[in-house]
Amino acid sequence: MKNTFARSACALAACAALGPALPPAHAQDAAQADTAATQTIEVVGKRQNRISKGATGLPMDVKDTPQTISILEKEDLENFGTTGSNEALRLATGINVEQYETNRATFNSRGFEIQLTQIDGLGMSNDWGTVVGQLDTFLFDRIELIRGANGLLTGVGNASGTINYVRKRPTNKDSAEVGLAGGSYAQKRATLDVNKVFTADGTWAGRVVVAHEDKDSYLRDLHDQRTSLYAVVDGQIGENGVLTLGVTALDAQQDSPMWGSLTLNYLSDGQAEFDVSASTSQKWTYWDTRSQSAFIEYSHALNDDWEAKFTYTHRRAEEDVQLLYAYAPAGGLNDDNTGLIGWPYASFVTTENDLLDVNLSGQFKALGRQHSLIAGVSHSKQKTATDTRAPAAEDMFLPLPAFPYGGDAYAEPDWGPSTPTSGGEQALTRLYAATRIAVTDQLKLIAGVNAIHLERSGSSRYGSVVDATAYPDTEEVSPYVGLTYDFSRDVLGYLSYSDIFQNQDQTDFDGEYLAPMKGVNVEAGVKGEWFGKQLLTTLAVFSAEQKGLATQGDGLTPDGNYWYRPVDAKSRGVEAEATGRIGRDTRVSLGVTHLDLDVPTAGDYPWVPRTTVNFRADTRLAALPALKLGIGGRWQSDVTNATGTVKQDAFFVANAFASYELNKQASVRLNVNNLFNEKYIGGLAYGAIYGAPRNASVTLAYQF
């Protein structure tokens, strides 16, 4: 396998060397300007023309990418008042948010958990799909959601999809925006976004973004406070270089969180019904998270067509928790709602990430046509460490009163000293390249390859490995192949194949680690642009597979451990989406996903809805152009938990807003969430929490 990795490295190096050696395209007219103008135009152009590199790393329009991509623009996030990233993702086509605890969630797409979450296209994979806390959406220009295997943008993962948060960057004009909001559950929120051009020629600029939110909850005793700070500076180095420096600090404190969730099934059969405010937490519990990150990015124009880019990111995160897990050891509640016992837990977790990425990208001409290429290398490291404080033995596993109980039903235990209990490291090196070849004026070939080398050691935070161990190295090569064909100027057909690998912690009956799981995505579709490229429609059929997915075997090994065997899980379906403008003043988005799942011995993942529909629309009234009205919502088919003992029928949740421009600088907006006050369970993948009832907020925004 090492020879395979070495051969891939040589091939990618040769591919990168080939691009600049080919004759460059003719220089643009702007290059003939004087030096001072060139310096200004270089940076201004970069700021104005930053675009998504989608699923391939190549600068292509969403329409031209042979994979389904949805984008939540800043205007969408503002209109619907989605201040947290999990709330925002509920707006997106084909994404399911499983908020199984108040501070932890998983996302799934095409039937499988999303393990790839990135910022500006870079980030370590999340092996277990669990995301702690929420990012504040005010820090971002947009959120991109790429569905299917995405090996070209990251090293390891599965066939579900990728979430990419795109940060705000400096602009070319001085500006400032301040926002104040208040709403249900004593919500208080303040935001500030200031952009400043530092030099007369516009070559250096900076931006500071701050958001602070403090609110109670519809859940008993739950209180959230979150502060986010982001600062970034960019500018020109010489005539051809652009340097960007940024820092982010997040501080989130949650009092009375739920660790685990509601038990809703009775031992005698039947499903319990509680008030939506029901919670298992206690007043002495908390879940505090803090993180600090910094990045440096340098881009250098080698000529009019080629650019080299260097990016380094460092992040440190901390979790300080004191929790109570309430569960039913018998598997359900008694008829009088007793049967729960408590498991108190306290820990301090640190995670450090370092990521370095260097790539070369550009355009070249061959056989009379222009093509594009990107090739690069990245290396990332991650370290995790967990210290725990054990409660006194007499404070463990005590019975709880009949549910629902109050926030003082289980006394805070006497905690022992903090002791290191687990930790792990991993290092991922990957080489990647992708090219877009214009075979004819209508036919384009997108081809790429991603070669990875993953080393891990230590223990698994959420998995089955709790003792320090040396994992086998993972070395794999993933291809990407796509074809697009322009049937007309506005209608394109495409076909693509992509795969990706994910290491697994599970061992077989003989104690050997299972081979990496292989995620495979095949899809075909048609994309069209209408009304002068104002509306984009996508219709796609897909097949997503997890080959060799670890599934628990029957019984135990001779030494009393669980064992796993590889199975192939399959998802097939169709997605349709229309998004954009209809006329000058009306924006619409409608997305439908339907899928079938086949997961041997795992109940076919019954918590994944087979059909989901997302929509949102807003418009300005001709008679009153200062007023903008909007409505959006999500419908999903029925789901059950893994054992089939708890069911959520199909349901629909609608959200609406109305905003009014008081003058050119000031506006006010009213948001109403869960407009029809639907009672529903938010997700059944790992637990159950009722969704929020109808609630509202008012936001005042002022631009300087």
Side-chain angles (χ1 to χ4, degrees):
M1 185 60 71
K2 291 184 178 180
N3 290 334
T4 301
F5 189 80
R7 287 196 300 270
S8 301
C10 293
L12 293 178
C15 189
L18 174 64
L22 294 168
H26 294 294
Q28 300 176 356
D29 293 339
Q32 300 174 0
D34 57 49
T35 301
T38 300
Q39 291 176 340
T40 303
I41 290 171
E42 177 72 27
V43 176
V44 169
K46 283 183 178 298
R47 290 193 190 124
Q48 289 179 338
N49 297 312
R50 289 190 179 105
I51 62 173
S52 168
K53 294 189 176 180
T56 64
L58 297 168
M60 295 188 295
D61 290 338
V62 173
K63 170 179 170 285
D64 297 326
T65 303
Q67 212 161 323
T68 50
I69 301 176
S70 297
I71 297 178
L72 298 174
E73 302 286 358
K74 180 173 66 174
E75 188 173 356
D76 299 314
L77 305 177
E78 291 176 349
N79 283 344
F80 288 95
T82 55
T83 62
S85 53
N86 294 2
E87 304 162 15
L89 293 176
R90 290 188 176 93
L91 300 176
T93 299
I95 305 295
N96 300 308
V97 178
E98 297 278 350
Q99 190 77 51
Y100 67 93
E101 295 172 347
T102 54
N103 211 34
R104 288 197 299 187
T106 63
F107 317 126
N108 64 67
S109 174
R110 299 191 171 177
F112 306 120
E113 288 186 353
I114 296 176
Q115 298 175 340
L116 307 177
T117 303
Q118 302 179 324
I119 295 180
D120 292 341
L122 296 174
M124 289 285 290
S125 68
N126 178 5
D127 296 353
W128 297 101
T130 297
V131 175
V132 177
Q134 296 195 57
L135 300 174
D136 198 295
T137 58
F138 192 68
L139 275 59
F140 305 106
D141 262 333
R142 63 186 182 276
I143 304 174
E144 301 173 344
L145 304 122
I146 303 136
R147 293 183 288 281
N150 200 7
L152 290 185
L153 289 189
T154 191
V156 293
N158 61 14
S160 58
T162 303
I163 300 169
N164 182 33
Y165 299 95
V166 180
R167 286 179 285 212
K168 292 178 177 178
R169 295 294 183 101
T171 63
N172 300 316
K173 295 181 180 179
D174 290 349
S175 63
E177 176 186 349
V178 63
L180 296 173
S184 302
Y185 317 119
Q187 180 196 23
K188 297 174 286 293
R189 178 174 171 83
T191 57
L192 177 67
D193 183 354
V194 179
N195 187 85
K196 177 65 178 176
V197 179
F198 298 134
T199 56
D201 60 3
T203 55
W204 283 89
R207 193 166 182 175
V208 175
V209 183
V210 183
H212 176 77
E213 186 169 65
D214 188 299
K215 63 180 181 180
D216 294 329
S217 171
Y218 67 98
L219 293 170
R220 174 187 51 76
D221 295 333
L222 180 65
H223 180 85
D224 279 287
Q225 181 175 287
R226 182 178 66 220
T227 303
S228 306
L229 169 66
Y230 166 58
V232 59
V233 175
D234 75 3
Q236 189 144 343
I237 304 295
E239 295 185 5
N240 300 309
V242 176
L243 178 67
T244 306
L245 303 167
V247 295
T248 303
L250 305 175
D251 185 350
Q253 301 177 33
Q254 188 173 86
D255 295 332
S256 296
M258 289 178 67
W259 181 40
S261 52
L262 305 179
T263 300
L264 293 178
N265 63 294
Y266 287 112
L267 289 173
S268 60
D269 203 9
Q271 182 170 324
E273 281 287 337
F274 300 114
D275 189 83
V276 295
S277 64
S279 171
T280 60
S281 68
Q282 294 296 280
K283 292 180 180 179
W284 50 265
T285 63
Y286 61 83
W287 196 322
D288 297 342
T289 58
R290 299 177 181 84
S291 68
Q292 305 86 37
S293 63
F295 74 95
I296 178 171
E297 178 183 292
Y298 179 71
S299 300
H300 192 88
L302 304 176
N303 54 37
D304 292 332
D305 297 307
W306 288 92
E307 177 184 84
K309 185 177 180 180
F310 165 94
T311 306
Y312 172 74
T313 299
H314 174 78
R315 179 178 182 270
R316 176 182 170 85
E318 300 175 350
E319 286 181 57
D320 184 9
V321 306
Q322 194 167 282
L323 305 167
L324 180 74
Y325 183 68
Y327 70 102
L333 296 172
N334 300 318
D335 289 342
D336 61 355
N337 292 336
T338 61
L340 297 177
I341 65 172
W343 173 18
Y345 174 85
S347 71
F348 185 80
V349 182
T350 60
T351 303
E352 291 197 44
N353 300 88
D354 291 277
L355 190 151
L356 172 67
D357 185 275
V358 181
N359 65 61
L360 176 70
S361 62
Q363 299 178 339
F364 62 94
K365 279 190 174 180
L367 303 177
R369 292 187 175 84
Q370 186 161 294
H371 319 281
S372 56
L373 170 72
I374 184 172
V377 58
S378 73
H379 181 73
S380 57
K381 290 184 177 181
Q382 177 175 287
K383 293 182 179 180
T384 61
T386 301
D387 296 346
T388 58
R389 291 181 289 130
E394 61 271 18
D395 296 329
M396 290 282 287
F397 307 119
L398 301 179
L400 285 157
F403 192 81
Y405 45 74
D408 54 359
Y410 198 109
E412 181 177 356
D414 291 328
W415 302 102
S418 180
T419 305
T421 53
S422 65
E425 299 182 20
Q426 68 178 43
L428 174 67
T429 302
R430 73 184 190 100
L431 304 172
Y432 59 93
T435 185
R436 184 177 188 237
I437 303 295
V439 181
T440 69
D441 290 343
Q442 292 79 32
L443 182 64
K444 308 296 191 300
L445 168 68
I446 297 94
V449 64
N450 180 67
I452 64 165
H453 178 89
L454 176 67
E455 299 176 271
R456 299 185 303 152
S457 62
S459 55
S460 165
R461 183 175 177 191
Y462 293 130
S464 57
V465 179
V466 294
D467 297 321
T469 186
Y471 298 88
D473 291 355
T474 299
E475 292 188 348
E476 300 288 354
V477 177
S478 299
Y480 183 105
V481 180
L483 287 172
T484 65
Y485 186 83
D486 293 301
F487 294 110
S488 68
R489 184 176 179 180
D490 298 318
V491 179
L492 170 145
Y494 72 88
L495 176 68
S496 66
Y497 170 93
S498 55
D499 68 34
I500 195 169
F501 289 88
Q502 176 65 63
N503 47 278
Q504 302 189 103
D505 286 348
Q506 292 84 355
T507 56
D508 61 18
F509 190 82
D510 297 321
E512 299 292 330
Y513 283 102
L514 297 184
M517 182 274 299
K518 181 180 181 180
V520 178
N521 186 77
V522 179
E523 71 176 81
V526 178
K527 298 185 181 183
E529 291 179 321
W530 316 96
F531 309 117
K533 300 185 182 297
Q534 293 298 302
L535 182 72
L536 174 66
T537 60
T538 303
L539 176 63
V541 293
F542 63 84
S543 171
E545 294 187 56
Q546 311 278 57
K547 295 186 175 181
L549 180 66
T551 300
Q552 188 171 317
D554 297 327
L556 301 175
T557 63
D559 54 2
N561 293 322
Y562 292 108
W563 64 279
Y564 296 81
R565 60 187 180 88
V567 301
D568 293 343
K570 300 178 181 179
S571 169
R572 293 184 177 86
V574 59
E575 285 183 330
E577 185 176 45
T579 182
R581 291 186 178 273
I582 299 177
R584 185 183 66 178
D585 297 324
T586 302
R587 301 170 66 249
V588 298
S589 178
L590 173 64
V592 180
T593 300
H594 177 75
L595 57 85
D596 293 314
L597 276 168
D598 180 10
V599 187
T601 73
D604 293 340
Y605 294 172
W607 57 85
V608 176
R610 276 19 183 194
T611 304
T612 58
V613 180
N614 292 73
F615 80 94
R616 57 185 183 274
D618 63 76
T619 189
R620 292 187 182 276
L621 303 179
L624 191 58
L627 177 65
K628 181 164 64 172
L629 301 175
I631 189 168
R634 183 179 187 276
W635 178 90
Q636 72 166 54
S637 56
D638 60 285
V639 294
T640 70
N641 63 356
T643 59
T645 55
V646 178
K647 181 180 181 180
Q648 170 60 57
D649 293 330
F651 67 94
F652 171 67
V653 175
N655 306 310
F657 76 89
S659 65
Y660 188 82
E661 294 180 356
L662 304 174
N663 53 43
K664 290 184 178 180
Q665 288 78 39
S667 65
V668 62
R669 186 183 70 248
L670 169 67
N671 287 97
V672 180
N673 301 315
N674 197 354
L675 186 63
F676 304 117
N677 204 29
E678 179 80 8
K679 183 179 181 181
Y680 64 95
I681 301 171
L684 289 172
Y686 300 112
I689 299 177
Y690 291 113
R694 182 168 49 234
N695 59 92
S697 64
V698 176
T699 303
L700 175 66
Y702 190 89
Q703 296 180 340
F704 298 90

